[in-house]
Amino acid sequence: MNSRGSWFMRDRPVLIWLLVALVVSLVHPFFASSRWLMVHLVVLGAVTHSAMVWSVHFTDALLKTRAGFEERRVQSIRLGIFHVGAIAVFVGVPTAIWPLTIAGGTLISGAVLWHAVMLVRRLRAALPGRFRITVRYYIVAALLLPVGALFGVLLARGLAEPWHGRLLVAHTMTNLLGWIGLTVLGTLVTLWPTMLRTRMAPNAESASTHALPILGVGLLLAIGGPLLGSEVLGAAGIVAYLVGTLWVYRPILTSARQRPPAAFPTMSAGAGLVWLPIGLGLMAFSLATRGSWAALSDHYGILTTIFVVGFALQVLLGALSYLLPVVIGGGPSVLRAGMAELDRWSTWRVAVANLGLALCLLPVPSLVRVVLSVVTLVALAVSIPVLLRGIIASVKAKRALEKQPATPGVRHVDTSPRTWSRPQLIAAVSVIAVGATLGVGLDPTAAGLTTAAGQGPVAAQVTPTGHTTTVTVTAKDMRFHPAQVSVPAGDKLVIDLVNTDSTDIHDLVLANGAKSPRLSPGEKATVDVGVVSAPIDGWCSVVGHRQLGMVFKVDVTGSSAAGSASGGGGSGGAMMPGMTHADATGPSPAIDFMKQWPAGFTAYDPVLPPLRDEKVHKVTLTAEDVKTEVAPGVSQVRWTYNGTSIGPVLHGRVGDTFEVTLVNKGTIGHSVDFHASEVAPDLPMRTLQPGQSLVYRFTAKRSGIWLYHCSTMPMSTHIAAGMAGAIVIEPPGLPKVDHSYVLSQSELYLGAQGDPVNAAKVAADQPDALMFNGFVNQYVDRPLAAKAGERVRIWVLDIGPNRPLSFHVVGTQFDTVYKEGTYLLKDGRGPLDPPDYHSGGSQALDLLPAQGGFVELTFPAAGHYSIVNHIMTDAERGARGTFAVTK
């Protein structure tokens, strides 16, 4: 094989896959399966292609394979088969087309097994020599990939727990540590000193030889552990693999000490090598402590980021930055031209990527994590155009050199920089600091930089005693412990606040302006209250927590002061026992229920989404805060699933499986509870803190329209804020109709204009308005459509959280009523009516919160038919709409 010059199947596919992964990362919030696709575009697309190409390259170099042993055309065919299979998988998994996924997995496995066979043939044909062990690493790695592909195909089928979690871990271990890990470890023993331009450690070959059995045993245990359901066995396998990895690292570290990494290729690859043992250590710890494979798989986000971005992607970028100019050939001047481009801002790129990645993995506020993620993505993405510039520069220099007469006596010139750039490192740290500051600026409350009054603690008018009273207060289970402390008048009060809750974020706000930051579980902070002269009220400012009784009181002893620092007005509604202060909000905006929606308003689509053929429905629900106009001229920050005022409608059949990925991009904890599921709630319904995610799987066993909602306390507040939706599971044999609509009633509790939900009003059951599908009166101005004589089915759900629903359509009668899983009336006949009786009718479907059903009707003539909640006061404050019926 001629390895010099340009070869499309060697250089271009990697850049194409990385570009596609970059595009997906930019648009990932807008479609499901995006996270899976990003990971696999990098690992299955770019990294696997490189492993197939460069393992052949190094095998030929180490074994001195004779020229023409395998034509480049044949290799291109093999790589082409692999890429066709990869494309099939990239399409088949997100669209749940399992036959396409099977076909793709088969093509990938066939191409890689062919690759393994050719490596074995090269090894057998070669004369005895050094580093044959490297080729054995490649062969073992190639034999593992089809096993991992089999696990991946089974995962795409959609399996219930515990097998989904078990196969996910086995799939990851096989592909990331087996296929990619062994290939990288086998290669870098010889490539690393070459990249550093230093001598190879004398123990390099023996270290590789001794480590391979350890790595193999580790992989066997790490893969077998989840398949056998043994967390201990899996953890032991990861530890063994870690031991083998560190054994391989011995000669790698020796070379690095001789000449520390200074150019981009070695800095990037070296950083990747640092992340591998970190990921292995966290993986072993997680396996030993999570308690179940499902729990481990739900926390795979951090581990995947470490293995894919920290390890695999950085090693790939570093290796390619070195190899591509070398294989283009042309001598020192050509290599120097390519490396001059590839090494641009090398220190900055590596430092920003790794500092940003490290901070993103820490428990920082969610918006800080978002900003730093973008900065890290930019630093990594810069490598794509830089690689292209390096290739172009090398090719141009080579062509220019070929036109010049040869100059004898030219020696190889060492083109690698001697030191990393200190100014670039300073610039990288500055970028990360600015990014973190920007994130804090976008969410100062989460970072704890503001007080309830927008200023620091204020001392009362009293003669200070010079003494400081320090108390420790814990936050747990929606209570402060203790909930009341006594302080001598004139003392300075310092509160050491500890959040010992296992799931919720809490803070402590005092009416004099002192405030803690918001604390995640396990975090602590010190609150300097200042000099105390009068009683001070306190509370947790996370929306709804005060309404659940999370209040605090500072009493004063030895003072004649009768006043109390209350810091705000009354609640405007009933409060929980022990509450002394409600959320500090301004007046609620008045809703004009006769005001029309403006011309540019688009109503929430009430049409039931069509039922698709797949049996596994993959859904991503992203929890995020979105400021929304909920009534004409009235806005509220809604807590949403996927950015809409009400959660998206899901649709399936009895027997279908739903795989729901919940991602929390909000500012507080959120969760999800599917009433259509029958699962133990402990894990899938747990509260996620900002930045966390989980996968919730269930099989729909019974028909009906079911509620799903956030179950984080206070549940009523989260539901009222918009975190709820409907899932329609059709009864078997449901007849077709001309139109199917979904209408879900919910309640609106307003604070000041643009504020979040008013939790005090929710607790007092004092809604400002009621809504169908998340907007007040939207279907009055944007009517639902039908024609006279057409059969219409309306699925109805009462989301609540408090108000009942009496669903009625003015001017019509229902001949079919289905409520809570059974027919009350079907084609005019009740369950106890004789077979020939079909003259029964219904005027209203009565539902309590969390109940649902459907009605069917036929409109007798053209006209406008009002939709109302026949609890008329609720209809008059927004629970109404219109059917515009034409001929």
Side-chain angles (χ1 to χ4, degrees), residues 212-352:
L212 184 57
I214 302 174
L215 292 167
V217 171
L219 279 170
L220 183 64
L221 295 177
I223 298 169
L227 296 179
L228 297 174
S230 172
E231 290 85 354
V232 174
L233 195 65
I238 297 300
V239 171
Y241 190 95
L242 176 59
V243 171
T245 299
L246 296 178
W247 199 269
V248 175
Y249 276 17
R250 292 168 59 214
I252 290 176
L253 291 173
T254 299
S255 298
R257 284 196 297 267
Q258 292 172 355
R259 187 165 193 176
F264 176 79
T266 51
M267 285 192 293
S268 181
L273 292 177
V274 170
W275 281 109
L276 178 57
I278 292 175
L280 291 171
L282 287 176
M283 185 71 175
F285 176 78
S286 298
L287 276 169
T289 59
R290 289 298 180 191
S292 75
W293 300 105
L296 175 64
S297 65
D298 288 339
H299 290 77
Y300 243 37
I302 291 177
L303 294 170
T304 301
T305 302
I306 290 175
F307 285 127
V308 174
V309 180
F311 168 58
L313 181 57
Q314 289 201 99
V315 170
L316 173 66
L317 293 175
L320 289 180
S321 298
Y322 173 80
L323 290 169
L324 290 180
V326 171
V327 298
I328 288 174
S333 61
V334 176
L335 179 61
R336 193 162 45 240
M339 284 303 303
E341 294 294 335
L342 290 167
D343 209 44
R344 287 183 181 273
W345 283 92
S346 56
T347 303
W348 181 90
R349 289 153 56 196
V350 174
V352 168

Side-chain angles (χ1 to χ4, degrees), residues 538-847:
W539 60 90
C540 178
S541 72
V542 176
V543 176
H545 287 198
R546 177 189 281 171
Q547 279 64 36
L548 289 177
M550 200 164 186
V551 294
F552 185 74
K553 181 79 171 180
V554 178
D555 281 335
V556 179
T557 60
S559 171
S560 59
S564 173
S566 62
S571 70
M575 294 182 290
M576 296 291 292
M579 289 184 60
T580 58
H581 198 285
D583 288 341
T585 61
S588 302
I591 296 178
D592 182 355
F593 291 102
M594 301 305 292
K595 187 175 182 179
Q596 292 186 340
W597 282 96
F601 170 73
T602 300
Y604 185 93
D605 189 358
V607 176
L608 177 66
L611 196 58
R612 299 180 297 182
D613 293 334
E614 68 266 23
K615 300 299 183 181
V616 179
H617 304 266
K618 296 189 176 183
V619 181
T620 298
L621 294 179
T622 302
E624 52 188 334
D625 302 354
V626 178
K627 188 175 182 180
T628 304
E629 188 176 10
V630 290
V634 177
S635 63
Q636 182 183 64
V637 171
R638 302 285 283 171
W639 301 344
T640 72
Y641 292 123
N642 294 1
T644 56
S645 184
I646 189 175
V649 175
L650 310 181
H651 192 189
R653 310 172 189 81
V654 173
D656 285 2
T657 296
F658 288 81
E659 182 178 301
V660 182
T661 302
L662 175 64
V663 182
N664 187 359
K665 291 188 177 180
T667 55
I668 62 173
H670 292 298
S671 57
V672 66
D673 169 10
F674 278 89
H675 288 197
S677 71
E678 289 183 293
V679 297
D682 305 65
L683 289 175
M685 301 182 195
R686 68 186 182 273
T687 296
L688 300 180
Q689 296 308 319
Q692 294 182 330
S693 64
L694 62 76
V695 178
Y696 185 145
R697 296 174 198 86
F698 66 92
T699 297
K701 298 179 180 178
R702 295 179 176 85
S703 58
I705 178 169
W706 302 87
L707 174 66
Y708 69 87
H709 62 89
C710 181
S711 57
T712 300
M713 296 298 288
M715 203 178 304
S716 58
T717 299
H718 285 250
I719 293 173
M723 303 204 77
I727 177 169
V728 175
I729 306 299
E730 289 195 359
L734 186 67
K736 292 184 178 181
V737 292
D738 296 297
H739 300 280
S740 286
Y741 294 106
V742 180
L743 295 178
S744 297
Q745 176 184 283
S746 58
E747 300 143 30
L748 180 65
Y749 299 88
L750 296 171
Q753 181 79 290
D755 274 3
V757 60
N758 188 317
K761 288 183 179 180
V762 179
D765 189 13
Q766 295 179 340
D768 292 276
L770 282 89
M771 309 177 286
F772 283 135
N773 290 352
F775 297 92
V776 176
N777 283 345
Q778 61 175 323
Y779 300 124
V780 174
D781 299 329
R782 306 291 187 272
L784 281 65
K787 292 183 178 180
E790 286 185 329
R791 189 154 187 82
V792 177
R793 178 179 297 129
I794 309 170
W795 292 88
V796 186
L797 176 68
D798 186 0
I799 286 176
N802 299 321
R803 304 290 298 166
L805 168 61
S806 176
F807 185 79
H808 174 69
V809 180
V810 177
T812 66
Q813 297 172 350
F814 309 141
D815 61 31
T816 297
V817 178
Y818 180 95
K819 177 184 176 182
E820 286 295 285
T822 190
Y823 283 95
L824 304 181
L825 188 68
K826 188 173 184 180
D827 295 328
R829 180 177 177 269
L832 301 179
D833 291 332
D836 59 346
Y837 181 84
H838 292 284
S839 60
S842 173
Q843 55 196 310
L845 172 60
D846 59 313
L847 301 171

Side-chain angles (χ1 to χ4, degrees), residues 175-527:
N175 286 353
L176 274 179
L177 301 187
W179 165 238
I180 302 301
L182 290 182
T183 301
V184 169
L185 293 175
T187 299
L188 286 180
V189 170
T190 56
L191 178 62
W192 178 249
T194 306
M195 294 169 66
L196 289 172
R197 302 192 184 281
T198 188
R199 294 186 306 276
M200 187 178 300
N203 64 337
E205 185 175 14
S206 63
S208 295
T209 302
H210 294 150
L212 184 57
I214 302 174
L215 292 167
V217 171
L219 279 170
L220 183 64
L221 295 177
I223 298 169
L227 296 179
L228 297 174
S230 172
E231 290 85 354
V232 174
L233 195 65
I238 297 300
V239 171
Y241 190 95
L242 176 59
V243 171
T245 299
L246 296 178
W247 199 269
V248 175
Y249 276 17
R250 292 168 59 214
I252 290 176
L253 291 173
T254 299
S255 298
R257 284 196 297 267
Q258 292 172 355
R259 187 165 193 176
F264 176 79
T266 51
M267 285 192 293
S268 181
L273 292 177
V274 170
W275 281 109
L276 178 57
I278 292 175
L280 291 171
L282 287 176
M283 185 71 175
F285 176 78
S286 298
L287 276 169
T289 59
R290 289 298 180 191
S292 75
W293 300 105
L296 175 64
S297 65
D298 288 339
H299 290 77
Y300 243 37
I302 291 177
L303 294 170
T304 301
T305 302
I306 290 175
F307 285 127
V308 174
V309 180
F311 168 58
L313 181 57
Q314 289 201 99
V315 170
L316 173 66
L317 293 175
L320 289 180
S321 298
Y322 173 80
L323 290 169
L324 290 180
V326 171
V327 298
I328 288 174
S333 61
V334 176
L335 179 61
R336 193 162 45 240
M339 284 303 303
E341 294 294 335
L342 290 167
D343 209 44
R344 287 183 181 273
W345 283 92
S346 56
T347 303
W348 181 90
R349 289 153 56 196
V350 174
V352 168
N354 288 275
L355 287 174
L357 179 60
L359 289 176
C360 286
L361 299 177
L362 296 176
V364 296
S366 58
L367 286 177
V368 174
R369 182 177 290 107
V370 169
V371 174
L372 291 179
S373 298
V374 172
V375 172
T376 303
L377 176 63
V378 169
L380 293 169
V382 167
S383 295
I384 300 176
V386 168
L387 276 171
L388 286 170
R389 287 173 62 95
I391 294 172
I392 293 171
S394 296
V395 172
K396 285 183 177 179
K398 183 178 181 180
R399 289 173 179 172
L401 186 65
E402 290 171 349
K403 297 178 181 179
Q404 298 175 0
T407 303
V410 176
R411 296 181 178 180
H412 172 73
V413 180
D414 186 352
T415 60
S416 60
R418 296 293 181 182
T419 60
W420 47 264
S421 170
R422 182 173 297 176
Q424 289 183 32
L425 181 61
I426 295 173
V429 174
S430 300
V431 167
I432 295 297
V434 170
T437 303
L438 179 60
V440 171
L442 293 172
D443 188 11
T445 302
L449 299 182
T450 61
T451 67
Q455 57 188 11
V458 180
Q461 296 299 319
V462 70
T463 302
T465 64
H467 181 262
T468 298
T469 297
T470 302
V471 297
T472 298
V473 177
T474 60
K476 185 178 181 181
D477 297 331
M478 296 299 170
R479 292 293 185 272
F480 291 112
H481 307 276
Q484 183 170 332
V485 296
S486 296
V487 182
D491 271 20
K492 178 182 178 181
L493 175 61
V494 174
I495 300 174
D496 291 328
L497 179 67
V498 184
N499 183 5
T500 59
D501 217 323
S502 60
T503 56
D504 280 320
I505 291 175
H506 297 297
D507 63 11
L508 174 60
V509 175
L510 293 160
N512 72 339
K515 181 180 180 180
S516 77
R518 288 191 174 175
L519 304 179
S520 296
E523 292 185 336
K524 59 181 66 176
T526 298
V527 182

